[in-house]
Amino acid sequence: MTLNIKRILLFFLMHHVLSSNGRNTLTVARRANVPLSSSSSPTSSLGPLQTFCKTINDSRRHLAAAAAARCTSIFIMYPIDTLKTRMQMGNKFMESMQKGGLMRGVGGSLVGQVPYGVLTFGSYEVYKELLLKNFPQAKPVFLYALSAILGDVTGSGWLCPSEVVKQQLQAGMYSSTGEAISSIWKKRGLRGFYQGYMGGLARDVPFRVAQLTSYEVVKNMYLRAKQRRYESTEEISLSPVDSAVVGAVAGTFSSAITAPLDKIKTLLMTEGPKWECPQLRILHYSE
């Protein structure tokens, strides 16, 4: 099973960046289930577009750091991602290595991934405010998870075309980004850039649910163990190293359980016409 190592690296890099903003803490009040008031939210009286713009503006430093982490993780792990794509298409490891072009398409991937991060983060805040306002009796943790999923769905509209181009370049179907874009447009028009879109959602939504759940579970277990070890009633927080380890555990688990869905997404994006059918012939794909 080939793990999506790029996602793991990105996940704990971003949590390393965010570890100083107070998110990775466990307080006595939280352990006692004291509800947190949302009435003081500065965006509660704003419309969706204003909330999105204010979120991006207020978080521009964190977004810039997250963008740097995203670019770093993509660039470092791109050769591994290329090998993963080729192996998911049925090639052996050595055969995938011998094809060369392991960095082919990395520029287009960055163009897709960085704005995707901004879109998902900004829309997450919009959905969170709307859900908290309309469902005040619901448990906030469920609303946060649903907001994250909806944010991913919103950002996927931008991400999918770049993913299609990237994966077809990685598969060796084209030699340059320009050739890939031109050929995909001539063959299938706009639809060609969204082949495998549902396959991407089928992978990303379960991944996000598993990621959020496993991260919170592992984080809380670790913080409680740390608090018992030091016999402290004060606020305990994750260090950057702790955050990286917890993020790596959550990312590894999430990537492992969604690996079959990732393979389906790859096949749909690289060989869409072959696999897009009501009978889901993809399930009978054999290496």
Side-chain angles (χ1 to χ4, degrees):
M1 181 184 295
T2 305
L3 296 179
N4 194 335
I5 306 175
K6 177 184 68 179
R7 280 177 171 265
I8 299 171
L9 180 60
L10 171 62
F11 187 58
F12 71 70
L13 276 174
M14 291 182 69
H15 277 86
H16 173 85
V17 170
L18 295 173
S19 61
S20 62
N21 74 348
R23 294 185 180 186
N24 297 326
T25 59
L26 180 69
T27 62
V28 175
R30 186 173 296 177
R31 292 181 67 191
N33 294 320
V34 176
L36 298 177
S37 173
S38 60
S39 60
S40 60
S41 174
T43 60
S44 58
S45 61
L46 299 178
L49 181 59
Q50 290 85 353
T51 298
F52 180 88
C53 293
K54 179 172 174 50
T55 298
I56 299 304
N57 182 64
D58 292 347
S59 306
R60 57 188 181 275
R61 288 188 178 181
H62 279 96
L63 285 172
R70 185 177 291 270
C71 290
T72 301
S73 66
I74 290 172
F75 193 81
I76 291 175
M77 301 309 303
Y78 198 81
I80 303 298
D81 191 54
T82 299
L83 291 174
K84 180 207 72 173
T85 295
R86 293 173 181 176
M87 292 176 71
Q88 285 177 334
M89 295 179 67
N91 296 314
K92 302 299 183 182
F93 178 77
M94 290 307 300
E95 181 184 353
S96 300
M97 286 285 291
Q98 291 168 359
K99 286 185 177 181
L102 296 181
M103 296 299 291
R104 187 181 298 150
V106 66
S109 180
L110 293 175
V111 170
Q113 287 283 348
V114 174
Y116 167 76
V118 175
L119 281 172
T120 53
F121 181 75
S123 58
Y124 163 78
E125 291 294 330
V126 172
Y127 291 126
K128 184 183 74 174
E129 292 295 333
L130 289 174
L131 290 172
L132 289 173
K133 180 180 178 180
N134 289 285
F135 302 97
Q137 302 303 320
K139 290 186 177 181
V141 64
F142 295 124
L143 299 184
Y144 297 156
L146 180 57
S147 299
I149 292 170
L150 291 173
D152 274 353
V153 173
T154 301
S156 65
W158 172 273
L159 181 65
C160 187
S162 68
E163 281 290 292
V164 170
V165 172
K166 180 202 77 171
Q167 293 215 290
Q168 293 193 14
L169 283 167
Q170 289 177 325
M173 298 168 66
Y174 305 105
S175 59
S176 68
T177 301
E179 180 188 354
I181 294 173
S182 176
S183 297
I184 293 171
W185 178 262
K186 288 179 180 178
K187 289 178 181 178
R188 306 189 70 188
L190 184 61
R191 181 185 175 190
F193 293 100
Y194 285 90
Q195 68 181 47
Y197 177 73
M198 295 307 297
L201 287 183
R203 179 203 64 178
D204 291 341
V205 171
F207 179 89
R208 178 65 70 183
V209 173
Q211 182 190 55
L212 290 170
T213 304
S214 59
Y215 182 81
E216 288 300 321
V217 169
V218 175
K219 182 190 74 173
N220 289 331
M221 290 175 60
Y222 184 86
L223 287 172
R224 288 190 174 94
K226 193 174 181 180
Q227 193 168 42
R228 286 195 299 270
R229 178 182 178 184
Y230 294 104
E231 298 180 351
S232 173
T233 58
E234 301 296 325
E235 181 180 280
I236 301 293
S237 62
L238 293 180
S239 68
V241 174
D242 294 337
S243 184
V245 171
V246 172
V249 171
T252 300
F253 171 75
S254 305
S255 294
I257 64 174
T258 57
L261 299 173
D262 188 54
K263 178 172 181 175
I264 292 174
K265 186 217 75 163
T266 296
L267 294 175
L268 288 172
M269 287 188 170
T270 55
E271 303 174 354
K274 180 179 179 180
W275 301 115
E276 288 175 354
C277 63
Q279 291 77 21
L280 291 178
R281 285 179 292 167
I282 189 170
L283 297 178
H284 300 286
Y285 178 79
S286 174
E287 296 183 4

